[in-house]
């Protein structure tokens, strides 16, 4: 069996709607082998589809088809450390895991660029799938079905304090409330801030992040799905966040912090939320992953 490790990802980073994403040091593990049939299980008891609708299986089958081959079947064992439907790229991790594993079984006929394009084609936007494949902080643009992307490392002092609520939010629902059209000043507002975000994270000029996370394209419309969002944002800035944003389509909330901020989040964040009767949230302190998906033979 091979083991494919795929990182969690945080898309948008506030202002970079459907274009910015970062890989994080939280991983799903997928053990896979070609098999005469479909056998799918999870090692951690997380409930996963056990038939052709399983996203790992479906993506692997799609890659075989792209290569003009027929997938004989797969045995898959999943370990899902990335929580589902929390804005941390769990579905992208499945898509990327299936593609990378299947590509390996066929002797790697698809290049990284081919995988990036195919993963985006399956997911519908590139901001989770591309960093899941490549690692790092990734800027992506779509042109004629092809993803143009650049991955850069993130300044090493940066940590990501991820607050994960005890409820799910489906991406389709969170996308369904967005307007079809925006005003020019709102477009400029986001363009300038997303450009600032990549430069600030790359260079470590953290003082720019509070402005760089601001957004008028999606977060204001999604706030209603996260009842305690205002309290969590306020607390995060009290604890030293440089910039706080809804991760991907939500509902997790990420604060970009340094070492000191990370320690303060670990000591105080969950207690302070409990005091405000905001219960059931989890905290993970993560770093940027710079490698992306990887295949191991265990
Ligand atoms: N850019 C996407 C969105 C990420 O905000 O809807 C979620 O998959």
């Amino acid at each position: 069996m091979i083991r494919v490790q795929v990182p969690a990802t945080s898309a948008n980073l506030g202002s970079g709607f459907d274009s910015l994403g970062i890989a994080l040091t939280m991983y799903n593990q997928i053990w896979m082998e070609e098999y005469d049939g479909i056998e799918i299980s999870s090692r951690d008891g997380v409930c996963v589809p056990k038939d052709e609708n399983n996203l790992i299986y479906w993506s692997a089958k799609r890659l075989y088809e792209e290569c003009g081959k027929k997938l004989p079947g797969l045995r898959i064992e999943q370990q899902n450390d990335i929580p589902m439907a929390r804005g941390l790229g769990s579905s992208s991790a499945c898509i990327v895991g299936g593609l990378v594993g299947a590509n390996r079984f066929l002797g790697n006929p698809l290049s990284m660029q081919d995988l990036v394009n195919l993963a985006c084609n399956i997911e519908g936007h590139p901001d989770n799938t591309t960093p899941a494949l490549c690692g790092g902080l990734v800027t992506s643009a779509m042109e004629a079905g092809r993803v143009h992307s650049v991955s850069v490392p993130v300044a090493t002092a940066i940590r990501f304090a991820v607050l994960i609520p005890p409820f799910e939010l489906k991406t389709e629902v969170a996308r369904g409330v967005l307007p079809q059209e925006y005003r020019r000043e709102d477009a400029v507002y986001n363009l300038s801030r997303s450009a600032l975000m990549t430069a600030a994270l790359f260079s470590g000029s953290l003082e720019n992040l509070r402005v760089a996370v601001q957004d008028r394209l999606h977060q204001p419309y999604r706030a209603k799905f996260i009842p305690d969002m205002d309290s969590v944002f306020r607390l995060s800035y009290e604890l030293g966040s440089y910039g706080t944003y809804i991760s991907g389509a939500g509902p997790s909330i990420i604060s970009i912090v340094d070492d000191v901020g990370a320690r303060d989040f670990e000591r105080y964040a969950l207690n302070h939320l409990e005091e405000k009767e905001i219960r059931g949230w989890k905290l993970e302190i993560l770093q940027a992953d710079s490698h992306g998906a990887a295949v191991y033979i265990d």
Side-chain angles (χ1 to χ4, degrees):
M1 267 193 166
I2 61 167
R3 173 169 60 92
V4 187
Q5 173 174 283
V6 191
T9 46
S10 175
N12 301 332
L13 290 106
S15 52
F17 180 69
D18 276 2
S19 55
L20 294 186
I22 190 162
L24 297 171
T25 52
M26 171 191 271
Y27 301 94
N28 277 2
Q29 312 289 341
I30 305 160
W31 290 264
M32 300 167 73
E33 67 184 355
E34 281 190 340
Y35 180 67
D36 195 15
I38 305 178
E39 193 180 291
I40 301 173
S41 59
S42 68
R43 289 194 176 187
D44 50 14
V46 171
C47 185
V48 296
K50 300 208 165 44
D51 56 15
E52 287 216 2
N53 294 319
N54 179 288
L55 200 46
I56 298 169
Y57 185 90
W58 194 89
S59 303
K61 186 163 168 250
R62 176 75 190 273
L63 184 137
Y64 271 65
E65 285 164 5
E66 289 286 322
C67 297
K69 308 269 187 202
K70 188 177 181 319
L71 178 66
L74 281 179
R75 179 183 282 144
I76 298 172
E77 292 176 22
Q78 298 181 225
Q79 184 175 308
N80 301 285
D81 289 353
I82 307 170
M84 291 186 190
R86 298 299 205 285
L88 294 169
S90 61
S91 58
S92 287
C94 291
I95 293 168
V96 165
L99 293 181
V100 168
N103 200 37
R104 178 67 170 241
F105 293 143
L106 293 178
N108 294 321
L110 296 197
S111 66
M112 177 61 97
Q113 180 64 51
D114 295 332
L115 292 173
V116 162
N117 293 341
L118 184 54
C120 172
N121 183 288
I122 295 171
E123 175 86 327
H125 39 85
D127 46 340
N128 287 108
T129 48
T130 315
L133 276 160
C134 306
L137 167 66
V138 182
T139 308
S140 308
M142 293 292 301
E143 173 67 27
R146 183 175 188 274
V147 181
H148 295 257
S149 64
V150 175
S151 167
V152 294
V154 167
T156 49
I158 292 174
R159 303 281 178 277
F160 297 84
V162 187
L163 278 164
I164 307 166
F167 54 85
E168 298 187 347
L169 175 55
K170 299 276 184 220
T171 300
E172 315 84 86
V173 174
R175 288 180 86 82
V177 297
L178 303 183
Q180 290 299 323
E181 292 177 356
Y182 294 95
R183 296 180 312 160
R184 183 169 66 184
E185 53 264 49
D186 292 341
V188 173
Y189 186 93
N190 271 66
L191 279 172
S192 53
R193 281 161 179 74
S194 61
L196 184 63
M197 174 59 80
T198 46
L201 281 181
F202 181 53
S203 64
S205 53
L206 304 181
E207 69 281 3
N208 286 305
L209 293 176
R210 191 144 182 173
V211 169
V213 290
Q214 293 170 339
D215 147 73
R216 290 185 182 162
L217 300 188
H218 70 106
Q219 293 182 109
Y221 304 97
R222 291 169 164 172
K224 65 180 176 194
F225 295 121
I226 311 171
D228 296 308
M229 182 177 133
D230 287 347
S231 303
V232 175
F233 268 56
R234 211 172 309 114
L235 173 66
S236 77
Y237 285 114
E238 286 166 13
L239 291 176
S241 172
Y242 288 100
T244 297
Y245 65 93
I246 298 176
S247 182
S252 294
I253 293 174
I254 290 193
S255 297
I256 306 173
V257 293
D258 57 18
D259 260 355
V260 177
R263 226 173 18 247
D264 285 347
F265 265 80
E266 274 175 335
R267 277 191 197 144
Y268 304 118
L270 295 182
N271 286 346
H272 283 213
L273 290 182
E274 289 265 330
E275 280 165 19
K276 293 180 167 62
E277 301 193 348
I278 300 171
R279 300 185 204 287
W281 289 57
K282 290 189 179 146
L283 171 69
E284 298 279 349
I285 303 290
L286 305 176
Q287 290 178 257
D289 164 281
S290 53
H291 303 294
V295 179
Y296 300 93
I297 313 285
D298 285 341

